[in-house]
Amino acid sequence: MSKAYTDLLLDTCLLAGKIMMESGAEMYRVEDTMNRIATVESGKKGISFVTPTGIFMAIEGGSSVKLQQIPSRSINLERVSKVNDLSREFSAQKIDLPTLSTRLKQVENENDFFPIWLQIIAAAVVSGTLMILFGGAWPDFIQSCIIGAIGFAVYYYSNEFLKVKFLAEFFAAFVIGLLAIATVSIGWGVSVDGMIIGSVMPLVPGVPITNSVRDLLAGHLLSGMARGTEALITACMIGIGIAVVFQMFY
């Protein structure tokens, strides 16, 4: 292969990996997808090394190694599914490399997140229903929905403004705790604990914890520990936010 074509192949592999990493895919899935694309096109083994903040890609026997930085990560499993589908089409030789590259760029540029108003409504529903599942009282259902929605909105806009995810989680938990205590204090609620437990659930890092365990079981110790640490810090920030409220006002 010419150098230009090798560069296109490596860039395509890195783009696929970048989209998947930014969307919350497991490390072993990212490596498998990148290596499959490289192997199918070049006939040689693809060699990739994936971390939560960067991806390295090369072809066995080649002289080129490329790096792609991962500046931010979120959860968007629809994008992961789209990249998986494209890699399978490419492996089945239904599309060629330039077409794969073009379609991956289209996936990268898609703004397919649900609108914020719908995310807030979903957070409200999750907060109220999980409050009941965890033993809360039915009179607190509406209050938990409202507090959970406000807490998620605080998290979203704090993250947009501060660009520091952990601080946004702290502020959201603080507001949730404050509203729960205020609601019970004025007689509009029954259980502070129940409302807080339900309302913080949209902030709990369930997917990162799951991916951390899956990476560890797949032998990706570095990425598994990194993601586990990130999830642990998130849980700690939520807990600290609630603890500060209890210490100050309860």
Side-chain angles (χ1 to χ4, degrees):
M1 292 189 296
S2 66
K3 186 179 186 304
Y5 200 78
T6 300
D7 288 342
L8 175 61
L9 175 58
L10 293 178
D11 288 340
T12 303
C13 293
L14 288 172
L15 179 58
K18 176 176 180 286
I19 295 171
M20 296 180 74
M21 280 299 304
E22 289 180 340
S23 303
E26 307 93 324
M27 304 292 178
Y28 71 87
R29 189 187 301 274
V30 176
E31 288 189 353
D32 179 69
T33 300
M34 295 169 62
N35 292 342
R36 185 188 303 118
I37 294 172
T39 301
V40 168
E41 185 64 23
S42 67
K44 299 179 181 179
K45 183 179 179 181
I47 302 173
S48 59
F49 180 71
V50 179
T51 72
T53 56
I55 303 174
F56 295 86
M57 187 70 205
I59 306 296
E60 187 177 42
S63 57
S64 297
V65 178
K66 288 204 169 188
L67 166 67
Q68 175 64 60
Q69 190 176 19
I70 309 298
S72 62
R73 294 170 300 281
S74 62
I75 304 298
N76 191 333
L77 300 183
E78 184 176 357
R79 283 190 175 186
V80 176
S81 177
K82 287 180 179 180
V83 174
N84 278 333
D85 291 342
L86 287 173
S87 70
R88 292 190 182 96
E89 288 184 32
F90 181 74
S91 299
Q93 299 183 344
K94 295 180 180 179
I95 57 176
D96 57 12
L97 184 63
T99 302
L100 175 63
S101 178
T102 300
R103 292 178 64 178
L104 285 173
K105 291 176 182 177
Q106 292 174 352
V107 172
E108 183 185 30
N109 294 328
E110 286 178 356
N111 186 18
D112 52 3
F113 276 103
F114 291 108
I116 181 57
W117 64 266
L118 187 56
Q119 294 182 49
I120 292 174
I121 291 175
V125 173
V126 168
S127 299
T129 52
L130 288 180
M131 184 273 297
I132 297 298
L133 288 176
F134 283 111
W138 276 105
D140 291 335
F141 180 79
I142 299 298
Q143 295 90 321
S144 296
C145 291
I146 295 172
I147 293 172
I150 294 173
F152 185 83
V154 170
Y155 164 74
Y156 178 86
Y157 289 110
S158 296
N159 195 32
E160 289 287 308
F161 178 73
L162 297 173
K163 304 298 182 182
V164 181
K165 176 175 173 286
F166 301 128
L167 279 180
E169 289 158 349
F170 170 81
F171 288 134
F174 183 87
V175 169
I176 287 171
L178 193 62
L179 290 175
I181 292 174
T183 300
V184 173
S185 298
I186 61 178
W188 290 357
V190 176
S191 172
V192 172
D193 295 345
M195 286 190 288
I196 289 176
I197 290 172
S199 300
V200 300
M201 282 300 153
L203 307 177
V204 173
V207 174
I209 291 173
T210 302
N211 286 346
S212 172
V213 173
R214 295 183 69 176
D215 284 336
L216 288 172
L217 294 176
H220 292 259
L221 302 181
L222 178 63
S223 59
M225 292 174 63
R227 280 187 164 177
T229 302
E230 182 179 5
L232 179 61
I233 294 174
T234 293
C236 288
M237 296 306 292
I238 294 172
I240 291 170
I242 299 297
V244 170
V245 173
F246 271 68
Q247 186 69 28
M248 294 175 62
F249 303 104
Y250 194 62

